[in-house]
């Protein structure tokens, strides 16, 4: 078993602090405690409940029709939910199917654990939507888990309700679990399909407060699932983190108590920024894309083809501008743009991107 670094995170770790214009980040602009105006002096810095504070689990469960606080495990980011569920459900003789591209840990964890894994490839031709006939072909008698991510990071594609229902039907018929990473679900342009965990005992929803709320520093995410899965997560995490940061939980609870208002603000920023990005894309000559349907990420590619590493490195070195090269997402010919940040930063970053494209390709 070998845990290797993920190229995406290596890129972030090297360059995210070395730039002035970040148009590669995958979430909304980061918030500070001052932005939120929370006073946290009364937070007890003891160990927390291993599945998250009851009040926090309760408020989360309200979003999931038919589920209660007992079905919620609050975790150290969606990353820990993802790791714990894979570690719990997929044993050494089992098989897992992972949609690709996606946030890399979803396939890197099974690789590190040396599990038998098949990739369900999203293609340009299919508008990066998962093809359920392809999924059906990949299922084996020992498949224990299938993971999907929608809206998808990095393509911004959104699974439609029929496909989601078909995936759930396959899960029920073939006795595997379907885990849907719904991290970007609150930032779709149109109404998204229902939350997976509300649809079936075989479905698991995971999500994060990192992206939609601009709060990756609190390291809070969660999973909603049937009790045996929640117990599995508890067993795994007791050997990793034990519980969440109590400061993180306190911030999460207060944010969720004001969820509707915060979400409304975030959605307005996203829609305004998206207009800027779309206009820019419509008026430039080097790139093509499939328009995202949600999330705050998109994955353009060069019209002339070829890898994007040189472009991304030039942007960092000369223009102090951050985007994510496709090699970090195992899609060399693309790169990731993020449009959740400050409007001025997006405008300036896109201007720099235009200059770098002209320098390399005109
Ligand atoms: C789809 C998706 N899932 C999970 C994660 C990990 O998020 P967290 O910060 O909650 O661990 C990311 C981070 O980029 C992501 O894009």
């Amino acid at each position: 078993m070998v845990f290797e670094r993920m190229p995406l995170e290596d890129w972030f770790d090297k360059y995210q602090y070395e730039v002035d214009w970040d148009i590669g980040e995958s979430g909304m602009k980061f918030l500070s405690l001052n932005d939120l105006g929370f006073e946290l002096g009364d937070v007890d810095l003891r160990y927390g409940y291993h599945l998250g504070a009851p009040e926090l689990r309760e408020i989360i469960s309200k979003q999931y029709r038919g589920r209660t606080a007992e079905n919620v495990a609050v975790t150290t980011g969606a990353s820990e939910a993802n790791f714990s569920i894979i570690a719990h459900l997929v044993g050494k003789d089992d098989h897992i199917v992972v949609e690709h591209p996606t946030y890399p840990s979803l396939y890197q964890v099974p690789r590190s654990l040396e599990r038998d894994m098949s990739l369900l490839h999203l293609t340009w031709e299919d508008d990066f939507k998962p093809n359920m006939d392809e999924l059906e072909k990949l299922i084996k008698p020992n498949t224990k888990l299938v993971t999907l991510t929608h809206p998808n990071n990095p393509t911004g594609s959104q699974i439609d309700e029929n496909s989601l229902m078909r995936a759930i039907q396959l899960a029920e018929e073939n006795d595997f679990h379907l885990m849907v990473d719904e991290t970007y679900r609150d930032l779709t342009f149109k109404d998204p399909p229902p939350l997976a965990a509300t649809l079936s005992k075989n479905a698991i929803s995971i999500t994060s407060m990192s992206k939609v709320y601009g709060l990756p520093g609190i390291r809070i995410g969660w999973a909603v699932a049937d009790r045996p899965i929640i117990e599995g997560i508890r067993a795994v995490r007791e050997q990793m983190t034990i519980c969440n940061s109590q400061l993180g939980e306190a911030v999460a609870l207060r944010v969720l108590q004001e969820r509707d208002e915060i979400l409304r603000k975030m959605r307005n920023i996203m829609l305004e920024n998206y207009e800027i990005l779309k206009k820019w894309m419509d008026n430039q000559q080097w790139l093509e894309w499939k328009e995202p349907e949600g999330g705050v990420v998109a994955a353009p590619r060069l019209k002339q083809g070829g890898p994007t590493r040189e472009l991304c490195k030039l942007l960092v070195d000369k223009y102090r501008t951050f985007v994510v090269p496709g090699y970090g997402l195992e899609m060399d010919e693309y790169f990731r743009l993020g449009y959740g940040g400050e409007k001025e930063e997006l405008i300036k970053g896109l201007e720099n991107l235009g200059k770098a494209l002209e320098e390399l390709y005109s």
Side-chain angles (χ1 to χ4, degrees), residues 8-9 25-26 76-80 82 102-106 149-153 181-184 206-211 215-216 219-221 336:
L8 172 76
E9 296 300 346
E25 185 50 61
S26 57
T76 303
S79 299
E80 191 185 38
N82 163 32
T102 184
Y103 178 63
S105 76
L106 284 151
T149 302
H150 285 276
N152 180 258
N153 176 6
D181 183 332
E182 297 163 337
T183 288
Y184 292 98
I206 68 169
T207 197
S208 168
M209 295 201 68
S210 298
K211 314 296 177 181
L215 294 171
R219 307 304 304 128
I220 294 289
R336 188 178 75 195

Side-chain angles (χ1 to χ4, degrees), residues 171-185:
E172 289 175 349
E173 285 170 5
N174 294 280
D175 201 22
F176 62 78
H177 280 88
L178 175 74
M179 177 171 94
V180 186
D181 183 332
E182 297 163 337
T183 288
Y184 292 98
R185 186 174 177 278

Side-chain angles (χ1 to χ4, degrees), residues 106-119:
L106 284 151
Y107 47 80
Q108 203 53 43
V109 170
R111 277 185 198 148
S112 301
L113 298 176
E114 297 176 344
R115 299 301 186 244
D116 178 19
M117 175 173 67
S118 305
L119 297 178

Side-chain angles (χ1 to χ4, degrees), residues 235-253:
V236 175
R237 74 180 315 226
E238 282 177 345
Q239 293 168 43
M240 291 203 300
T241 55
I242 307 175
C243 62
N244 305 306
S245 148
Q246 293 308 280
L247 287 170
E249 286 202 357
V251 173
L253 180 61

